[in-house]
Amino acid sequence: MDLGWEDLENIRYSYWKFKDSDRVMDSFHSFRIFRDDKLNLILEITYKPIKQRSSDSDFFNEPERKEGEVYKTDGYFILEHIYNKYVTLEMSGITLINTNITNNQHETIATIKCSLSIIKKCDYSKEHIEKEKFTIDWITNLDKGNYAWSSWINEKTDNTITRNFKSTRGNISFIESNGLNSNNSKCCSIRVNDLDIFFGHTDCSSIDKKYNTGFILYSKQCDDELRKKIRNALSFILGCKLIHISSVLKDQNYNSTEYEIHTQSAMNDLFHSSYRLPPSPLHSLDSKYLILGENEIGIMVEKIITFYDDYDFSHFSWLYWHAVASPLHLKGVGFGATLEFIQRKYIEKNPTKFSAKIIEKSLWKPLQKSLSKILEDAEYLNEHDRKLLLNKLSSLNQAPQSILTNKFYEILDLSLGDLELVSFKQRNNSAHGNKSEESEIIPIVREVKILRILCNRIILRIYDLSDFYNDFYSLGFRTRHLNDSITEQGLDV
């Protein structure tokens, strides 16, 4: 079903006039905005007629850059609607790609092509503020795996034709009604606090099907921060990084009143080819079929949002998804960093559950004093070595990371088998650049799977999302109780 898509195709140059820019000259003839095959935003501006001898600077004001300079793409271009001065189209992050000047028998035409970061349509009118509005996020990389959608979209189209046969003696009229009523099961409905949310697939002919285009519809206007939290929560729960590429405000007649469109980061393209699987079952435990459980997903999203900042879920998501998208030999580093971050945040949040010292302070103080005296009295030590050893002594009573890690998993009641323990240690091989032979590729793939599952189990436990986890390391993608470790039986690549 085609629910529409972002409003790029509806931006027509004839409805806009120049207002301000620090890059683009105001004498342009026309422009168009589109996405390339990587979903980057492209602005193409045409100038005509122009002088036969022209240079890039006649059409685009690019600041002079020093060789090797690092800078932000901060150029802007603002247009005003020709019929409403309160409606503007604001483009930012403009960078010149190329200039093309062509000559024909009648005129010389210049076309400049630029990359864009963001496009915003803003409406500052009073009428707009008073309208009831709904928010839609347009996304890519939406994957529900083997699950079936649980809700549907009903679309009704009415078409009425009136035929009047007229004469001086009288009229005969016919009214013909044709209607189309269709249902499409391509979405899921959840409720988060007082917010109703629909998410699902939508068709978009202008974008390659590999990008799995979709939408998230909110029952009212939502701020950017809340929608980001919901997208991050859904990404983890569904097991696929949802790529947010634009948002739109719709009124009750489905008219777009405001929108914000983003270019897709080059990093995001890697997520479309990444391994995708939900960390835990998404259906009701008493269901005979794999249908998305709306209550289950809604509760999980709500729990993550409620305690979102307690364990910095935003940074966890950044680490986790960059680990997913990284090359195979670096995934261990990424998931290792993710595990260490989760553990550190949990210890910070629950300091009374952990002891950072090996022995009690009352026992350590006299021992430290005795050891210090031994070092001070050691005549065979030079001053440099003595200072180094005394500095080491000050941290001698710090509990090693291994003890804190064991305590961490003990508190969470997560048992680790031999497979997890070996994989947890092997993550250092990637971090230290240890050489891997081709024959070791399969073990690396297996270890990476285990590390990702371990990250999943910890988040499922900390946020109390589920009592079960999906084991996509073992053959058959088994479902295991959260407490249980992965066994050696039924190995899979």
Side-chain angles (χ1 to χ4, degrees), residues 21-147:
S21 179
D22 63 347
R23 295 290 190 272
V24 178
M25 303 306 168
D26 62 356
S27 56
F28 63 86
H29 174 266
S30 62
F31 70 87
R32 73 183 184 106
I33 306 172
F34 59 95
R35 289 190 184 272
D36 64 12
D37 58 354
K38 295 290 186 181
L39 304 189
N40 299 304
L41 288 173
I42 304 297
L43 169 66
E44 197 173 80
I45 305 175
T46 301
Y47 292 85
K48 68 176 185 179
I50 63 170
K51 300 176 183 178
Q52 290 192 355
R53 294 186 178 181
S54 300
S55 62
D56 291 358
S57 60
D58 292 326
F59 316 108
F60 193 87
N61 181 26
E62 182 70 40
E64 187 176 343
R65 309 289 186 190
K66 295 180 180 179
E67 188 174 353
E69 180 182 353
V70 179
Y71 60 93
K72 289 184 177 180
T73 54
D74 55 358
Y76 66 89
F77 180 28
I78 303 176
L79 300 168
E80 182 181 291
H81 200 280
I82 60 174
Y83 298 125
N84 190 341
K85 66 179 181 179
Y86 296 107
V87 178
T88 61
L89 194 65
E90 303 172 6
M91 292 168 259
S92 58
I94 300 179
T95 303
L96 181 66
I97 298 175
N98 60 51
T99 301
N100 182 33
I101 299 177
T102 58
N103 298 286
N104 57 39
Q105 295 179 349
H106 305 289
E107 59 186 357
T108 303
I109 301 173
T111 303
I112 66 169
K113 184 180 287 188
C114 309
S115 62
L116 295 174
S117 296
I118 300 174
I119 305 169
K120 287 184 180 181
K121 179 191 174 186
C122 302
D123 188 341
Y124 302 101
S125 64
K126 183 180 179 181
E127 294 81 6
H128 165 70
I129 295 172
E130 294 174 347
K131 285 182 178 179
E132 182 182 9
K133 294 178 284 292
F134 307 88
T135 307
I136 299 178
D137 286 337
W138 300 115
I139 56 176
T140 63
N141 202 40
L142 175 62
D143 190 342
K144 61 179 177 56
N146 294 324
Y147 284 91

Side-chain angles (χ1 to χ4, degrees), residues 354-370 393-394 396-399:
F354 297 85
S355 175
K357 307 297 181 184
I358 298 175
I359 62 176
E360 298 284 344
K361 187 176 180 180
S362 58
L363 298 175
W364 169 246
K365 279 293 184 183
L367 178 58
Q368 183 184 29
K369 187 175 181 180
S370 299
L393 183 61
S394 63
L396 190 62
N397 195 35
Q398 295 290 330

